[in-house]
Amino acid sequence: MIKGKDIMIMNRRSFSTALLAGAAASLISTRGMAANATPPKARNVVLVHGLFADGSCWTEVIARLQAAGLNTTAVQNPLTTLPEAVASAQMVLDRQNGPTVFVGHSFSGMILTEAGVHPKVSALVYVAARAPDAGEDYTALAKKFPTPPATAGIVFDGDQGRLTEAAFLRDFAGDLPEAKAKVLYAVQEPFHKELLAGKTTHAAWREKPSFYAVSTEDRTINPDLERFMAKRMGARTIEVKASHLSLISQPDVISQLILEAAGQTE
């Protein structure tokens, strides 16, 4: 026989469980609403490059965005430490006049996630990019998925890392003409080991409309990891049959996604 006191304890437990469940559901709902919200119209786009590259990797996309009338700027990511990389992007964001779409490729998704809370950022676009949560160990997260082939091609000169030519051509730029990929290899910017140790303190995708382009043939970031991060943030997601460098091999598709984030499509 259940006594009144037992019923009271059970009711309190049931109420607490329901309260926690409701709070969790509210958090998920709020995150989804933020990520899927219709972004305001924007005339500015700020692009950030990742590892093994420099700002010129956005050339094909920049030309298309400029033709659509958008003010477009590519950040020269120093690839030294995460705070310095974030600061370089924040200075460019500060110069923008009005709502700005913030776009990042590969490692620079860390910068989007941290600096994307900037008040001028109206939407985030991740292109085959890292998208950690606040304080999350991205390396630990990535280890939950099979290691992509490009990882084995990273070599270090002291504390500076780069991709070997073979890994660059095969695993980073695998769907580009070899001659073009070799030019990109020649200008790759080495990164500092300390850069990889950085952790974000914000998760801008929790409060800003977010978009994600998954590269289905990616050999630098596992495509299933990209899908996981995109789903977790509730992003408007497209899948692009491309290598890690979809912004170069599929610039029309990537530009269209950025225009959507800028509210420039019907």
Side-chain angles (χ1 to χ4, degrees), residues 183-208:
V183 171
L184 294 170
Y185 168 75
V187 299
Q188 77 164 299
E189 183 75 15
F191 68 91
H192 291 234
K193 276 184 180 179
E194 190 177 350
L195 180 67
L196 303 182
K199 290 183 181 180
T200 57
T201 59
H202 299 99
W205 48 263
R206 287 186 175 275
E207 55 189 79
K208 301 289 177 80

mmCIF file with all atom_site columns, all heavy atoms in Angstrom, residues 183-208:
data_model
loop_
_atom_site.group_PDB
_atom_site.id
_atom_site.type_symbol
_atom_site.label_atom_id
_atom_site.label_alt_id
_atom_site.label_comp_id
_atom_site.label_asym_id
_atom_site.label_entity_id
_atom_site.label_seq_id
_atom_site.pdbx_PDB_ins_code
_atom_site.Cartn_x
_atom_site.Cartn_y
_atom_site.Cartn_z
_atom_site.occupancy
_atom_site.B_iso_or_equiv
_atom_site.pdbx_formal_charge
_atom_site.auth_seq_id
_atom_site.auth_comp_id
_atom_site.auth_asym_id
_atom_site.auth_atom_id
_atom_site.pdbx_PDB_model_num
ATOM 1   N N   . VAL A 1 183 ? 49.344 24.952 -57.583 1.00 0.00 ? 183 VAL A N   1
ATOM 2   C CA  . VAL A 1 183 ? 49.484 26.384 -57.297 1.00 0.00 ? 183 VAL A CA  1
ATOM 3   C C   . VAL A 1 183 ? 49.030 26.673 -55.866 1.00 0.00 ? 183 VAL A C   1
ATOM 4   O O   . VAL A 1 183 ? 49.693 27.405 -55.115 1.00 0.00 ? 183 VAL A O   1
ATOM 5   C CB  . VAL A 1 183 ? 48.677 27.227 -58.303 1.00 0.00 ? 183 VAL A CB  1
ATOM 6   C CG1 . VAL A 1 183 ? 48.637 28.686 -57.868 1.00 0.00 ? 183 VAL A CG1 1
ATOM 7   C CG2 . VAL A 1 183 ? 49.279 27.108 -59.701 1.00 0.00 ? 183 VAL A CG2 1
ATOM 8   N N   . LEU A 1 184 ? 47.917 26.081 -55.464 1.00 0.00 ? 184 LEU A N   1
ATOM 9   C CA  . LEU A 1 184 ? 47.411 26.277 -54.107 1.00 0.00 ? 184 LEU A CA  1
ATOM 10  C C   . LEU A 1 184 ? 48.377 25.700 -53.075 1.00 0.00 ? 184 LEU A C   1
ATOM 11  O O   . LEU A 1 184 ? 48.581 26.280 -52.001 1.00 0.00 ? 184 LEU A O   1
ATOM 12  C CB  . LEU A 1 184 ? 46.039 25.625 -53.958 1.00 0.00 ? 184 LEU A CB  1
ATOM 13  C CG  . LEU A 1 184 ? 44.906 26.244 -54.787 1.00 0.00 ? 184 LEU A CG  1
ATOM 14  C CD1 . LEU A 1 184 ? 43.671 25.365 -54.737 1.00 0.00 ? 184 LEU A CD1 1
ATOM 15  C CD2 . LEU A 1 184 ? 44.592 27.644 -54.294 1.00 0.00 ? 184 LEU A CD2 1
ATOM 16  N N   . TYR A 1 185 ? 48.981 24.566 -53.417 1.00 0.00 ? 185 TYR A N   1
ATOM 17  C CA  . TYR A 1 185 ? 49.963 23.966 -52.515 1.00 0.00 ? 185 TYR A CA  1
ATOM 18  C C   . TYR A 1 185 ? 51.149 24.908 -52.312 1.00 0.00 ? 185 TYR A C   1
ATOM 19  O O   . TYR A 1 185 ? 51.666 25.052 -51.194 1.00 0.00 ? 185 TYR A O   1
ATOM 20  C CB  . TYR A 1 185 ? 50.444 22.626 -53.082 1.00 0.00 ? 185 TYR A CB  1
ATOM 21  C CG  . TYR A 1 185 ? 51.655 22.080 -52.370 1.00 0.00 ? 185 TYR A CG  1
ATOM 22  C CD1 . TYR A 1 185 ? 51.538 21.517 -51.102 1.00 0.00 ? 185 TYR A CD1 1
ATOM 23  C CD2 . TYR A 1 185 ? 52.924 22.152 -52.954 1.00 0.00 ? 185 TYR A CD2 1
ATOM 24  C CE1 . TYR A 1 185 ? 52.649 21.027 -50.425 1.00 0.00 ? 185 TYR A CE1 1
ATOM 25  C CE2 . TYR A 1 185 ? 54.045 21.667 -52.282 1.00 0.00 ? 185 TYR A CE2 1
ATOM 26  C CZ  . TYR A 1 185 ? 53.907 21.105 -51.024 1.00 0.00 ? 185 TYR A CZ  1
ATOM 27  O OH  . TYR A 1 185 ? 55.007 20.634 -50.355 1.00 0.00 ? 185 TYR A OH  1
ATOM 28  N N   . ALA A 1 186 ? 51.552 25.575 -53.381 1.00 0.00 ? 186 ALA A N   1
ATOM 29  C CA  . ALA A 1 186 ? 52.720 26.463 -53.322 1.00 0.00 ? 186 ALA A CA  1
ATOM 30  C C   . ALA A 1 186 ? 52.501 27.650 -52.392 1.00 0.00 ? 186 ALA A C   1
ATOM 31  O O   . ALA A 1 186 ? 53.466 28.200 -51.854 1.00 0.00 ? 186 ALA A O   1
ATOM 32  C CB  . ALA A 1 186 ? 53.075 26.959 -54.724 1.00 0.00 ? 186 ALA A CB  1
ATOM 33  N N   . VAL A 1 187 ? 51.239 28.055 -52.204 1.00 0.00 ? 187 VAL A N   1
ATOM 34  C CA  . VAL A 1 187 ? 50.972 29.230 -51.359 1.00 0.00 ? 187 VAL A CA  1
ATOM 35  C C   . VAL A 1 187 ? 50.369 28.864 -50.005 1.00 0.00 ? 187 VAL A C   1
ATOM 36  O O   . VAL A 1 187 ? 49.930 29.741 -49.261 1.00 0.00 ? 187 VAL A O   1
ATOM 37  C CB  . VAL A 1 187 ? 50.036 30.240 -52.076 1.00 0.00 ? 187 VAL A CB  1
ATOM 38  C CG1 . VAL A 1 187 ? 50.670 30.740 -53.356 1.00 0.00 ? 187 VAL A CG1 1
ATOM 39  C CG2 . VAL A 1 187 ? 48.665 29.636 -52.348 1.00 0.00 ? 187 VAL A CG2 1
ATOM 40  N N   . GLN A 1 188 ? 50.337 27.573 -49.673 1.00 0.00 ? 188 GLN A N   1
ATOM 41  C CA  . GLN A 1 188 ? 49.737 27.205 -48.382 1.00 0.00 ? 188 GLN A CA  1
ATOM 42  C C   . GLN A 1 188 ? 50.507 27.867 -47.241 1.00 0.00 ? 188 GLN A C   1
ATOM 43  O O   . GLN A 1 188 ? 51.730 27.951 -47.248 1.00 0.00 ? 188 GLN A O   1
ATOM 44  C CB  . GLN A 1 188 ? 49.682 25.690 -48.190 1.00 0.00 ? 188 GLN A CB  1
ATOM 45  C CG  . GLN A 1 188 ? 50.976 25.014 -47.818 1.00 0.00 ? 188 GLN A CG  1
ATOM 46  C CD  . GLN A 1 188 ? 50.764 23.603 -47.274 1.00 0.00 ? 188 GLN A CD  1
ATOM 47  O OE1 . GLN A 1 188 ? 50.094 23.413 -46.248 1.00 0.00 ? 188 GLN A OE1 1
ATOM 48  N NE2 . GLN A 1 188 ? 51.321 22.619 -47.973 1.00 0.00 ? 188 GLN A NE2 1
ATOM 49  N N   . GLU A 1 189 ? 49.759 28.351 -46.278 1.00 0.00 ? 189 GLU A N   1
ATOM 50  C CA  . GLU A 1 189 ? 50.335 29.056 -45.133 1.00 0.00 ? 189 GLU A CA  1
ATOM 51  C C   . GLU A 1 189 ? 50.524 28.070 -43.980 1.00 0.00 ? 189 GLU A C   1
ATOM 52  O O   . GLU A 1 189 ? 49.562 27.418 -43.554 1.00 0.00 ? 189 GLU A O   1
ATOM 53  C CB  . GLU A 1 189 ? 49.401 30.187 -44.700 1.00 0.00 ? 189 GLU A CB  1
ATOM 54  C CG  . GLU A 1 189 ? 49.911 31.045 -43.582 1.00 0.00 ? 189 GLU A CG  1
ATOM 55  C CD  . GLU A 1 189 ? 50.998 32.013 -44.027 1.00 0.00 ? 189 GLU A CD  1
ATOM 56  O OE1 . GLU A 1 189 ? 51.155 32.220 -45.243 1.00 0.00 ? 189 GLU A OE1 1
ATOM 57  O OE2 . GLU A 1 189 ? 51.695 32.548 -43.142 1.00 0.00 ? 189 GLU A OE2 1
ATOM 58  N N   . PRO A 1 190 ? 51.732 27.897 -43.438 1.00 0.00 ? 190 PRO A N   1
ATOM 59  C CA  . PRO A 1 190 ? 51.924 26.991 -42.300 1.00 0.00 ? 190 PRO A CA  1
ATOM 60  C C   . PRO A 1 190 ? 51.128 27.468 -41.081 1.00 0.00 ? 190 PRO A C   1
ATOM 61  O O   . PRO A 1 190 ? 50.928 28.664 -40.894 1.00 0.00 ? 190 PRO A O   1
ATOM 62  C CB  . PRO A 1 190 ? 53.434 27.067 -42.028 1.00 0.00 ? 190 PRO A CB  1
ATOM 63  C CG  . PRO A 1 190 ? 54.031 27.603 -43.283 1.00 0.00 ? 190 PRO A CG  1
ATOM 64  C CD  . PRO A 1 190 ? 52.999 28.518 -43.865 1.00 0.00 ? 190 PRO A CD  1
ATOM 65  N N   . PHE A 1 191 ? 50.691 26.532 -40.262 1.00 0.00 ? 191 PHE A N   1
ATOM 66  C CA  . PHE A 1 191 ? 49.987 26.891 -39.029 1.00 0.00 ? 191 PHE A CA  1
ATOM 67  C C   . PHE A 1 191 ? 50.860 26.545 -37.825 1.00 0.00 ? 191 PHE A C   1
ATOM 68  O O   . PHE A 1 191 ? 51.746 25.684 -37.902 1.00 0.00 ? 191 PHE A O   1
ATOM 69  C CB  . PHE A 1 191 ? 48.641 26.166 -38.934 1.00 0.00 ? 191 PHE A CB  1
ATOM 70  C CG  . PHE A 1 191 ? 48.753 24.670 -38.748 1.00 0.00 ? 191 PHE A CG  1
ATOM 71  C CD1 . PHE A 1 191 ? 48.788 24.112 -37.476 1.00 0.00 ? 191 PHE A CD1 1
ATOM 72  C CD2 . PHE A 1 191 ? 48.825 23.814 -39.844 1.00 0.00 ? 191 PHE A CD2 1
ATOM 73  C CE1 . PHE A 1 191 ? 48.896 22.736 -37.300 1.00 0.00 ? 191 PHE A CE1 1
ATOM 74  C CE2 . PHE A 1 191 ? 48.938 22.437 -39.677 1.00 0.00 ? 191 PHE A CE2 1
ATOM 75  C CZ  . PHE A 1 191 ? 48.974 21.892 -38.407 1.00 0.00 ? 191 PHE A CZ  1
ATOM 76  N N   . HIS A 1 192 ? 50.609 27.219 -36.712 1.00 0.00 ? 192 HIS A N   1
ATOM 77  C CA  . HIS A 1 192 ? 51.356 26.976 -35.482 1.00 0.00 ? 192 HIS A CA  1
ATOM 78  C C   . HIS A 1 192 ? 50.640 25.915 -34.647 1.00 0.00 ? 192 HIS A C   1
ATOM 79  O O   . HIS A 1 192 ? 49.414 25.905 -34.556 1.00 0.00 ? 192 HIS A O   1
ATOM 80  C CB  . HIS A 1 192 ? 51.498 28.263 -34.676 1.00 0.00 ? 192 HIS A CB  1
ATOM 81  C CG  . HIS A 1 192 ? 52.398 29.273 -35.323 1.00 0.00 ? 192 HIS A CG  1
ATOM 82  N ND1 . HIS A 1 192 ? 53.468 29.841 -34.670 1.00 0.00 ? 192 HIS A ND1 1
ATOM 83  C CD2 . HIS A 1 192 ? 52.395 29.815 -36.564 1.00 0.00 ? 192 HIS A CD2 1
ATOM 84  C CE1 . HIS A 1 192 ? 54.093 30.691 -35.480 1.00 0.00 ? 192 HIS A CE1 1
ATOM 85  N NE2 . HIS A 1 192 ? 53.443 30.699 -36.634 1.00 0.00 ? 192 HIS A NE2 1
ATOM 86  N N   . LYS A 1 193 ? 51.418 25.045 -34.021 1.00 0.00 ? 193 LYS A N   1
ATOM 87  C CA  . LYS A 1 193 ? 50.834 23.990 -33.186 1.00 0.00 ? 193 LYS A CA  1
ATOM 88  C C   . LYS A 1 193 ? 49.877 24.548 -32.142 1.00 0.00 ? 193 LYS A C   1
ATOM 89  O O   . LYS A 1 193 ? 48.843 23.959 -31.842 1.00 0.00 ? 193 LYS A O   1
ATOM 90  C CB  . LYS A 1 193 ? 51.947 23.216 -32.470 1.00 0.00 ? 193 LYS A CB  1
ATOM 91  C CG  . LYS A 1 193 ? 52.576 22.101 -33.280 1.00 0.00 ? 193 LYS A CG  1
ATOM 92  C CD  . LYS A 1 193 ? 53.593 21.344 -32.421 1.00 0.00 ? 193 LYS A CD  1
ATOM 93  C CE  . LYS A 1 193 ? 54.226 20.207 -33.225 1.00 0.00 ? 193 LYS A CE  1
ATOM 94  N NZ  . LYS A 1 193 ? 55.250 19.472 -32.415 1.00 0.00 ? 193 LYS A NZ  1
ATOM 95  N N   . GLU A 1 194 ? 50.225 25.692 -31.583 1.00 0.00 ? 194 GLU A N   1
ATOM 96  C CA  . GLU A 1 194 ? 49.420 26.284 -30.512 1.00 0.00 ? 194 GLU A CA  1
ATOM 97  C C   . GLU A 1 194 ? 47.998 26.590 -30.973 1.00 0.00 ? 194 GLU A C   1
ATOM 98  O O   . GLU A 1 194 ? 47.058 26.614 -30.172 1.00 0.00 ? 194 GLU A O   1
ATOM 99  C CB  . GLU A 1 194 ? 50.093 27.556 -29.993 1.00 0.00 ? 194 GLU A CB  1
ATOM 100 C CG  . GLU A 1 194 ? 49.471 28.108 -28.726 1.00 0.00 ? 194 GLU A CG  1
ATOM 101 C CD  . GLU A 1 194 ? 50.200 29.329 -28.190 1.00 0.00 ? 194 GLU A CD  1
ATOM 102 O OE1 . GLU A 1 194 ? 51.298 29.638 -28.678 1.00 0.00 ? 194 GLU A OE1 1
ATOM 103 O OE2 . GLU A 1 194 ? 49.645 29.983 -27.283 1.00 0.00 ? 194 GLU A OE2 1
ATOM 104 N N   . LEU A 1 195 ? 47.834 26.818 -32.264 1.00 0.00 ? 195 LEU A N   1
ATOM 105 C CA  . LEU A 1 195 ? 46.513 27.119 -32.802 1.00 0.00 ? 195 LEU A CA  1
ATOM 106 C C   . LEU A 1 195 ? 45.533 25.989 -32.514 1.00 0.00 ? 195 LEU A C   1
ATOM 107 O O   . LEU A 1 195 ? 44.362 26.233 -32.215 1.00 0.00 ? 195 LEU A O   1
ATOM 108 C CB  . LEU A 1 195 ? 46.614 27.341 -34.320 1.00 0.00 ? 195 LEU A CB  1
ATOM 109 C CG  . LEU A 1 195 ? 45.324 27.681 -35.065 1.00 0.00 ? 195 LEU A CG  1
ATOM 110 C CD1 . LEU A 1 195 ? 44.810 29.051 -34.650 1.00 0.00 ? 195 LEU A CD1 1
ATOM 111 C CD2 . LEU A 1 195 ? 45.564 27.655 -36.576 1.00 0.00 ? 195 LEU A CD2 1
ATOM 112 N N   . LEU A 1 196 ? 46.010 24.756 -32.600 1.00 0.00 ? 196 LEU A N   1
ATOM 113 C CA  . LEU A 1 196 ? 45.135 23.595 -32.449 1.00 0.00 ? 196 LEU A CA  1
ATOM 114 C C   . LEU A 1 196 ? 44.719 23.358 -30.998 1.00 0.00 ? 196 LEU A C   1
ATOM 115 O O   . LEU A 1 196 ? 43.800 22.581 -30.737 1.00 0.00 ? 196 LEU A O   1
ATOM 116 C CB  . LEU A 1 196 ? 45.830 22.343 -32.990 1.00 0.00 ? 196 LEU A CB  1
ATOM 117 C CG  . LEU A 1 196 ? 46.286 22.411 -34.453 1.00 0.00 ? 196 LEU A CG  1
ATOM 118 C CD1 . LEU A 1 196 ? 46.919 21.098 -34.868 1.00 0.00 ? 196 LEU A CD1 1
ATOM 119 C CD2 . LEU A 1 196 ? 45.124 22.768 -35.375 1.00 0.00 ? 196 LEU A CD2 1
ATOM 120 N N   . ALA A 1 197 ? 45.404 24.017 -30.065 1.00 0.00 ? 197 ALA A N   1
ATOM 121 C CA  . ALA A 1 197 ? 45.086 23.829 -28.645 1.00 0.00 ? 197 ALA A CA  1
ATOM 122 C C   . ALA A 1 197 ? 43.962 24.746 -28.174 1.00 0.00 ? 197 ALA A C   1
ATOM 123 O O   . ALA A 1 197 ? 43.445 24.585 -27.073 1.00 0.00 ? 197 ALA A O   1
ATOM 124 C CB  . ALA A 1 197 ? 46.332 24.070 -27.799 1.00 0.00 ? 197 ALA A CB  1
ATOM 125 N N   . GLY A 1 198 ? 43.569 25.691 -28.999 1.00 0.00 ? 198 GLY A N   1
ATOM 126 C CA  . GLY A 1 198 ? 42.566 26.663 -28.589 1.00 0.00 ? 198 GLY A CA  1
ATOM 127 C C   . GLY A 1 198 ? 41.172 26.069 -28.470 1.00 0.00 ? 198 GLY A C   1
ATOM 128 O O   . GLY A 1 198 ? 40.799 25.158 -29.209 1.00 0.00 ? 198 GLY A O   1
ATOM 129 N N   . LYS A 1 199 ? 40.394 26.590 -27.516 1.00 0.00 ? 199 LYS A N   1
ATOM 130 C CA  . LYS A 1 199 ? 38.997 26.193 -27.345 1.00 0.00 ? 199 LYS A CA  1
ATOM 131 C C   . LYS A 1 199 ? 38.120 27.442 -27.373 1.00 0.00 ? 199 LYS A C   1
ATOM 132 O O   . LYS A 1 199 ? 38.512 28.499 -26.885 1.00 0.00 ? 199 LYS A O   1
ATOM 133 C CB  . LYS A 1 199 ? 38.783 25.465 -26.012 1.00 0.00 ? 199 LYS A CB  1
ATOM 134 C CG  . LYS A 1 199 ? 39.411 24.091 -25.953 1.00 0.00 ? 199 LYS A CG  1
ATOM 135 C CD  . LYS A 1 199 ? 39.070 23.422 -24.624 1.00 0.00 ? 199 LYS A CD  1
ATOM 136 C CE  . LYS A 1 199 ? 39.697 22.046 -24.515 1.00 0.00 ? 199 LYS A CE  1
ATOM 137 N NZ  . LYS A 1 199 ? 39.373 21.403 -23.222 1.00 0.00 ? 199 LYS A NZ  1
ATOM 138 N N   . THR A 1 200 ? 36.958 27.305 -27.953 1.00 0.00 ? 200 THR A N   1
ATOM 139 C CA  . THR A 1 200 ? 36.028 28.432 -28.010 1.00 0.00 ? 200 THR A CA  1
ATOM 140 C C   . THR A 1 200 ? 35.373 28.639 -26.643 1.00 0.00 ? 200 THR A C   1
ATOM 141 O O   . THR A 1 200 ? 35.191 27.688 -25.877 1.00 0.00 ? 200 THR A O   1
ATOM 142 C CB  . THR A 1 200 ? 34.937 28.193 -29.057 1.00 0.00 ? 200 THR A CB  1
ATOM 143 O OG1 . THR A 1 200 ? 34.255 26.961 -28.749 1.00 0.00 ? 200 THR A OG1 1
ATOM 144 C CG2 . THR A 1 200 ? 35.540 28.084 -30.453 1.00 0.00 ? 200 THR A CG2 1
ATOM 145 N N   . THR A 1 201 ? 35.023 29.870 -26.359 1.00 0.00 ? 201 THR A N   1
ATOM 146 C CA  . THR A 1 201 ? 34.296 30.180 -25.129 1.00 0.00 ? 201 THR A CA  1
ATOM 147 C C   . THR A 1 201 ? 32.834 30.520 -25.423 1.00 0.00 ? 201 THR A C   1
ATOM 148 O O   . THR A 1 201 ? 32.032 30.654 -24.500 1.00 0.00 ? 201 THR A O   1
ATOM 149 C CB  . THR A 1 201 ? 34.951 31.365 -24.387 1.00 0.00 ? 201 THR A CB  1
ATOM 150 O OG1 . THR A 1 201 ? 34.952 32.512 -25.240 1.00 0.00 ? 201 THR A OG1 1
ATOM 151 C CG2 . THR A 1 201 ? 36.384 31.036 -23.996 1.00 0.00 ? 201 THR A CG2 1
ATOM 152 N N   . HIS A 1 202 ? 32.516 30.684 -26.699 1.00 0.00 ? 202 HIS A N   1
ATOM 153 C CA  . HIS A 1 202 ? 31.138 30.946 -27.137 1.00 0.00 ? 202 HIS A CA  1
ATOM 154 C C   . HIS A 1 202 ? 30.732 29.908 -28.179 1.00 0.00 ? 202 HIS A C   1
ATOM 155 O O   . HIS A 1 202 ? 31.584 29.224 -28.745 1.00 0.00 ? 202 HIS A O   1
ATOM 156 C CB  . HIS A 1 202 ? 31.011 32.346 -27.757 1.00 0.00 ? 202 HIS A CB  1
ATOM 157 C CG  . HIS A 1 202 ? 31.353 33.459 -26.840 1.00 0.00 ? 202 HIS A CG  1
ATOM 158 N ND1 . HIS A 1 202 ? 32.589 34.094 -26.848 1.00 0.00 ? 202 HIS A ND1 1
ATOM 159 C CD2 . HIS A 1 202 ? 30.635 34.070 -25.859 1.00 0.00 ? 202 HIS A CD2 1
ATOM 160 C CE1 . HIS A 1 202 ? 32.611 35.037 -25.933 1.00 0.00 ? 202 HIS A CE1 1
ATOM 161 N NE2 . HIS A 1 202 ? 31.440 35.050 -25.306 1.00 0.00 ? 202 HIS A NE2 1
ATOM 162 N N   . ALA A 1 203 ? 29.453 29.810 -28.422 1.00 0.00 ? 203 ALA A N   1
ATOM 163 C CA  . ALA A 1 203 ? 28.929 28.998 -29.521 1.00 0.00 ? 203 ALA A CA  1
ATOM 164 C C   . ALA A 1 203 ? 27.913 29.875 -30.247 1.00 0.00 ? 203 ALA A C   1
ATOM 165 O O   . ALA A 1 203 ? 26.710 29.829 -29.967 1.00 0.00 ? 203 ALA A O   1
ATOM 166 C CB  . ALA A 1 203 ? 28.281 27.712 -29.017 1.00 0.00 ? 203 ALA A CB  1
ATOM 167 N N   . ALA A 1 204 ? 28.409 30.686 -31.167 1.00 0.00 ? 204 ALA A N   1
ATOM 168 C CA  . ALA A 1 204 ? 27.558 31.673 -31.839 1.00 0.00 ? 204 ALA A CA  1
ATOM 169 C C   . ALA A 1 204 ? 26.396 31.027 -32.561 1.00 0.00 ? 204 ALA A C   1
ATOM 170 O O   . ALA A 1 204 ? 25.335 31.640 -32.734 1.00 0.00 ? 204 ALA A O   1
ATOM 171 C CB  . ALA A 1 204 ? 28.396 32.503 -32.815 1.00 0.00 ? 204 ALA A CB  1
ATOM 172 N N   . TRP A 1 205 ? 26.584 29.773 -32.990 1.00 0.00 ? 205 TRP A N   1
ATOM 173 C CA  . TRP A 1 205 ? 25.502 29.103 -33.722 1.00 0.00 ? 205 TRP A CA  1
ATOM 174 C C   . TRP A 1 205 ? 24.270 28.834 -32.850 1.00 0.00 ? 205 TRP A C   1
ATOM 175 O O   . TRP A 1 205 ? 23.206 28.499 -33.370 1.00 0.00 ? 205 TRP A O   1
ATOM 176 C CB  . TRP A 1 205 ? 26.000 27.800 -34.354 1.00 0.00 ? 205 TRP A CB  1
ATOM 177 C CG  . TRP A 1 205 ? 26.789 26.871 -33.471 1.00 0.00 ? 205 TRP A CG  1
ATOM 178 C CD1 . TRP A 1 205 ? 28.145 26.777 -33.399 1.00 0.00 ? 205 TRP A CD1 1
ATOM 179 C CD2 . TRP A 1 205 ? 26.277 25.880 -32.567 1.00 0.00 ? 205 TRP A CD2 1
ATOM 180 N NE1 . TRP A 1 205 ? 28.516 25.788 -32.500 1.00 0.00 ? 205 TRP A NE1 1
ATOM 181 C CE2 . TRP A 1 205 ? 27.400 25.221 -31.976 1.00 0.00 ? 205 TRP A CE2 1
ATOM 182 C CE3 . TRP A 1 205 ? 24.996 25.481 -32.188 1.00 0.00 ? 205 TRP A CE3 1
ATOM 183 C CZ2 . TRP A 1 205 ? 27.268 24.193 -31.041 1.00 0.00 ? 205 TRP A CZ2 1
ATOM 184 C CZ3 . TRP A 1 205 ? 24.859 24.451 -31.255 1.00 0.00 ? 205 TRP A CZ3 1
ATOM 185 C CH2 . TRP A 1 205 ? 25.981 23.820 -30.697 1.00 0.00 ? 205 TRP A CH2 1
ATOM 186 N N   . ARG A 1 206 ? 24.406 28.990 -31.554 1.00 0.00 ? 206 ARG A N   1
ATOM 187 C CA  . ARG A 1 206 ? 23.238 28.827 -30.681 1.00 0.00 ? 206 ARG A CA  1
ATOM 188 C C   . ARG A 1 206 ? 22.295 30.027 -30.750 1.00 0.00 ? 206 ARG A C   1
ATOM 189 O O   . ARG A 1 206 ? 21.145 29.927 -30.322 1.00 0.00 ? 206 ARG A O   1
ATOM 190 C CB  . ARG A 1 206 ? 23.685 28.619 -29.226 1.00 0.00 ? 206 ARG A CB  1
ATOM 191 C CG  . ARG A 1 206 ? 24.278 27.243 -28.963 1.00 0.00 ? 206 ARG A CG  1
ATOM 192 C CD  . ARG A 1 206 ? 24.559 27.046 -27.481 1.00 0.00 ? 206 ARG A CD  1
ATOM 193 N NE  . ARG A 1 206 ? 25.019 25.699 -27.197 1.00 0.00 ? 206 ARG A NE  1
ATOM 194 C CZ  . ARG A 1 206 ? 24.214 24.661 -26.990 1.00 0.00 ? 206 ARG A CZ  1
ATOM 195 N NH1 . ARG A 1 206 ? 22.903 24.820 -27.058 1.00 0.00 ? 206 ARG A NH1 1
ATOM 196 N NH2 . ARG A 1 206 ? 24.714 23.468 -26.733 1.00 0.00 ? 206 ARG A NH2 1
ATOM 197 N N   . GLU A 1 207 ? 22.795 31.150 -31.266 1.00 0.00 ? 207 GLU A N   1
ATOM 198 C CA  . GLU A 1 207 ? 21.958 32.353 -31.267 1.00 0.00 ? 207 GLU A CA  1
ATOM 199 C C   . GLU A 1 207 ? 21.864 33.050 -32.616 1.00 0.00 ? 207 GLU A C   1
ATOM 200 O O   . GLU A 1 207 ? 21.135 34.025 -32.753 1.00 0.00 ? 207 GLU A O   1
ATOM 201 C CB  . GLU A 1 207 ? 22.488 33.345 -30.232 1.00 0.00 ? 207 GLU A CB  1
ATOM 202 C CG  . GLU A 1 207 ? 23.938 33.721 -30.397 1.00 0.00 ? 207 GLU A CG  1
ATOM 203 C CD  . GLU A 1 207 ? 24.475 34.536 -29.232 1.00 0.00 ? 207 GLU A CD  1
ATOM 204 O OE1 . GLU A 1 207 ? 24.787 33.943 -28.180 1.00 0.00 ? 207 GLU A OE1 1
ATOM 205 O OE2 . GLU A 1 207 ? 24.554 35.773 -29.379 1.00 0.00 ? 207 GLU A OE2 1
ATOM 206 N N   . LYS A 1 208 ? 22.571 32.561 -33.629 1.00 0.00 ? 208 LYS A N   1
ATOM 207 C CA  . LYS A 1 208 ? 22.534 33.184 -34.951 1.00 0.00 ? 208 LYS A CA  1
ATOM 208 C C   . LYS A 1 208 ? 22.045 32.182 -35.992 1.00 0.00 ? 208 LYS A C   1
ATOM 209 O O   . LYS A 1 208 ? 22.346 30.983 -35.898 1.00 0.00 ? 208 LYS A O   1
ATOM 210 C CB  . LYS A 1 208 ? 23.934 33.683 -35.365 1.00 0.00 ? 208 LYS A CB  1
ATOM 211 C CG  . LYS A 1 208 ? 24.573 34.707 -34.411 1.00 0.00 ? 208 LYS A CG  1
ATOM 212 C CD  . LYS A 1 208 ? 23.884 36.054 -34.496 1.00 0.00 ? 208 LYS A CD  1
ATOM 213 C CE  . LYS A 1 208 ? 24.470 37.061 -33.505 1.00 0.00 ? 208 LYS A CE  1
ATOM 214 N NZ  . LYS A 1 208 ? 25.716 37.667 -33.962 1.00 0.00 ? 208 LYS A NZ  1
#
